[in-house]
Amino acid sequence: MKKIFIITSFLSLIITLPATAQLGQVWTDFQSYSADLQNHLRNNLNELNPLQIQSQSAITGATGELNIPNPLGAGEILSNDININLLSSNYETNPLINSRVFGNEMNRLIFRSSAAGTLGNNGQLRTKIKLQNVETELKSIDAFAEEADTIVGGIENQFGGPIASTNPLFGTLQNILTQSRLQLQQIKIQRDQSKIIAETLAQTIHENQLLQYSNLNLASIGEQIEDTNRARRIDNSTEAARLLRTTSQTDLFGRKP
């Protein structure tokens, strides 16, 4: 009976071990991601020239508990700073237009930094380690399942023969065989469920990468639109200056002075 109790306890332990296994520390992974995002922001503030100092202040003011800047908040802080101080670039003489341009550029910079935190070298290393950990856990679960299969097979070989109903252990042995088969099936079901969950995780990671590429494409499209609008405003200003120069050289009677 003592041997039977040990075998049953071991089978129960096999079931609980895969369920309590941990893949990694999610908060540590997220902190590493947010640090990469912030580093990319600091290293690329020159894209917001000549407002790097104001941009850094906006990013710092909009950074929350997750160490991630709110793109809407950062853009709003920078836009308000431009409007209040009437800051303008060489061509964007209107502070309102200038604030929108730099606010949009701030948003695009944050989106690109987010993609860098996910698809950069450190981000890819984190993903690689996570996927490797998942595969290691799956191999461990397979090993547990095979070991449980071997143990149940040994029990069936030992007690699977004809058992006299007059044997005082007849009912106990039959229950052990039944429970062993059921526990083995549960282990196999958990193994298959673990594989399905792992496949889902891998697919989610892949879809997240595709989403980052989509965000980068949208950021590029937005930047192209901004450049096109800026070029159009410059052309309009140039044409207005040319017309003003032409009209200033002509008096009211259409004669040149």
Side-chain angles (χ1 to χ4, degrees):
M1 291 297 296
K2 183 177 180 181
K3 181 178 180 181
I4 294 172
F5 175 76
I6 293 175
I7 294 175
T8 306
S9 300
F10 182 74
L11 287 173
S12 299
L13 180 61
I14 291 176
I15 293 177
T16 57
L17 279 178
T20 57
Q22 298 296 325
L23 288 177
Q25 299 174 334
V26 293
W27 175 235
T28 302
D29 290 343
F30 193 87
Q31 285 178 308
S32 179
Y33 157 75
S34 62
D36 291 341
L37 187 153
Q38 289 284 354
N39 288 336
H40 187 272
L41 281 175
R42 286 191 293 269
N43 295 334
N44 291 273
L45 281 177
N46 59 318
E47 296 182 14
L48 296 171
N49 181 54
L51 302 178
Q52 292 97 327
I53 297 178
Q54 293 88 342
S55 300
Q56 181 61 66
S57 298
I59 291 173
T60 301
T63 297
E65 293 295 327
L66 294 178
N67 195 32
I68 294 179
N70 175 10
L72 300 178
E76 183 178 356
I77 293 174
L78 183 61
S79 298
N80 291 337
D81 191 7
I82 294 175
N83 285 326
I84 293 174
N85 295 288
L86 299 179
L87 298 174
S88 61
S89 63
N90 293 333
Y91 296 102
E92 305 294 349
T93 55
N94 188 335
L96 178 60
I97 295 178
N98 199 36
S99 66
R100 291 180 178 176
V101 169
F102 276 96
N104 291 337
E105 186 60 35
M106 169 73 75
N107 293 340
R108 288 192 289 269
L109 177 58
I110 293 176
F111 292 149
R112 286 193 291 266
S113 298
S114 176
T118 303
L119 303 176
N121 292 333
N122 292 336
Q124 292 189 32
L125 179 60
R126 288 191 299 272
T127 302
K128 176 184 177 182
I129 293 175
K130 189 176 294 295
L131 292 174
Q132 287 177 334
N133 288 340
V134 170
E135 187 168 340
T136 299
E137 292 295 333
L138 290 177
K139 291 179 180 178
S140 298
I141 293 174
D142 277 334
F144 281 123
E146 292 176 2
E147 189 172 0
D149 201 356
T150 301
I151 293 174
V152 173
I155 296 175
E156 290 179 342
N157 291 334
Q158 185 173 359
F159 303 111
I163 303 175
S165 59
T166 57
N167 191 319
L169 297 179
F170 175 80
T172 302
L173 294 177
Q174 289 294 331
N175 288 334
I176 289 175
L177 287 175
T178 302
Q179 290 297 323
S180 298
R181 295 188 185 102
L182 290 176
Q183 289 178 346
L184 179 60
Q185 289 300 320
Q186 290 177 2
I187 292 173
K188 291 181 178 180
I189 291 173
Q190 287 186 349
R191 177 191 61 188
D192 295 339
Q193 287 177 340
S194 299
K195 291 181 179 180
I196 294 173
I197 294 173
E199 290 290 342
T200 302
L201 174 62
Q203 185 65 27
T204 300
I205 292 175
H206 179 64
E207 291 176 356
N208 184 41
Q209 292 173 347
L210 294 179
L211 180 61
Q212 294 297 333
Y213 288 126
S214 298
N215 288 337
L216 287 174
N217 288 334
L218 291 175
S220 298
I221 292 173
E223 189 170 12
Q224 292 174 1
I225 293 175
E226 289 283 357
D227 291 340
T228 300
N229 291 336
R230 183 181 294 107
R232 184 181 297 111
R233 288 193 295 270
I234 292 175
D235 290 341
N236 291 338
S237 298
T238 302
E239 180 64 17
R242 187 186 67 80
L243 292 176
L244 180 62
R245 179 181 178 184
T246 300
T247 56
S248 65
Q249 295 175 352
T250 305
D251 62 7
L252 295 176
F253 299 100
R255 296 174 301 177
K256 293 183 179 180

